[in-house]
Amino acid sequence: MEYSLATQLIAEFIGTAFMVLLGNGSVANVELEGTKGHHGSWLIIAIGYGMGVMIPALMIGSVSGNYINPAFVIGMASVGSLAWGKALLFIVVEFLGAMAGQLVVVAMHKPYYDKTTNPTAILGTFSTIENTGSKLNGFVSEFFGSFVLFFGALALTHNAFNGKADLEVAHIGLGFLVMALVASMGGPTGPALNPARDLGPRILHAILPLKNKGDSQWDYALIPVIAPILAAVCAAFLFRGIFGL
């Protein structure tokens, strides 16, 4: 079934909001003082973000393609698989969806934000941070993590290795891919892997009147925007060159 552009835009907004709500909600559960998951393991966050991608994929994958990531949108547009006009609209609603999802995270956890005195922990519930302060390592980590995500997503959804597409199975696989990425490659930065997931909430961190929130680290903010975009473009061209699109 072909859905209208308006319906696809609504789907991308909802999917991105759910992704941030489930993903950053799991971070808030681990990082904020007084929650039932406080001091929980990194595995909680890996599961939260894996499910945060899988659930929207199963919900809206057949409606809009479940891009929910401006980097992936740009990657697909760069190889001609998505019209640039549509891509720009997708990017706008994805940023708005990410901010809406983050607002729900904050609303649900407001008493725990008030209890938390560590500004790094607070920022971590919004956006990513490179733990050593190295922008170079942040870029390397975000680039390769994003490349694995986008190349893997293309392989799963196109099912290039057996020639039979099963989108429901592919979307489940995508959730496990993200879970594995966060668990295996997410230690250095968070990770972002998605400009909307990082920049949208970072803007909210800067403007919301939270106690003890500290600096929004704008000197790092371009890394989780540029690295995933470059990785998506590289992954799209490489996949097209090997398997076609």
Side-chain angles (χ1 to χ4, degrees):
M1 178 178 177
E2 183 67 26
Y3 291 88
S4 69
L5 177 59
T7 300
Q8 292 180 52
L9 292 173
I10 293 169
E12 286 295 308
F13 175 90
I14 293 171
T16 311
F18 272 44
M19 181 263 292
V20 170
L21 174 57
L22 295 174
N24 279 1
S26 69
V27 180
N29 191 26
V30 170
E31 294 289 347
L32 297 180
E33 296 282 349
T35 66
K36 292 186 180 295
H38 185 50
H39 291 316
S41 73
W42 183 248
L43 183 59
I44 293 174
I45 296 173
I47 293 171
Y49 256 105
M51 296 300 101
V53 171
M54 182 192 295
I55 300 304
L58 293 170
M59 289 169 53
I60 66 167
S62 63
V63 178
S64 64
N66 187 56
Y67 290 90
I68 63 171
N69 188 329
F72 196 34
V73 170
I74 292 170
M76 291 295 93
S78 70
V79 294
S81 293
L82 187 66
W84 278 107
K86 185 176 182 179
L88 291 174
L89 292 174
F90 272 24
I91 290 169
V92 170
V93 298
E94 285 161 2
F95 270 100
L96 293 175
M99 296 175 79
Q102 185 64 42
L103 283 173
V104 176
V105 172
V106 173
M108 292 177 62
H109 293 87
K110 182 58 169 59
Y112 307 100
Y113 278 109
D114 291 342
K115 287 183 177 182
T116 304
T117 58
N118 182 345
T120 301
I122 292 173
L123 179 59
T125 69
F126 285 80
S127 297
T128 60
I129 306 162
E130 206 294 318
N131 276 353
T132 67
S134 169
K135 294 182 179 65
L136 175 60
N137 190 64
F139 182 90
V140 169
S141 298
E142 290 290 342
F143 179 88
F144 285 108
S146 298
F147 183 89
V148 170
L149 170 62
F150 299 129
F151 193 90
L154 286 170
L156 287 166
T157 54
H158 288 75
N159 225 337
F161 305 115
N162 63 25
K164 179 182 176 183
D166 186 336
L167 285 180
E168 184 172 324
V169 173
H171 292 152
I172 293 171
L174 182 60
F176 281 106
L177 172 61
V178 172
M179 192 185 305
L181 276 170
V182 175
S184 303
M185 303 176 72
T189 65
L193 314 174
N194 183 332
R197 166 263 183 274
D198 191 275
L199 184 58
R202 195 182 299 268
I203 292 170
L204 290 178
H205 180 272
I207 63 179
L208 289 176
L210 295 173
K211 293 165 60 177
N212 305 311
K213 69 177 183 178
D215 182 57
S216 300
Q217 297 194 18
W218 286 106
D219 59 331
Y220 179 75
L222 285 180
I223 301 297
V225 173
I226 295 172
I229 291 173
L230 292 177
V233 172
C234 291
F237 274 99
L238 181 62
F239 189 89
R240 187 182 70 170
I242 299 173
F243 302 110
L245 278 174

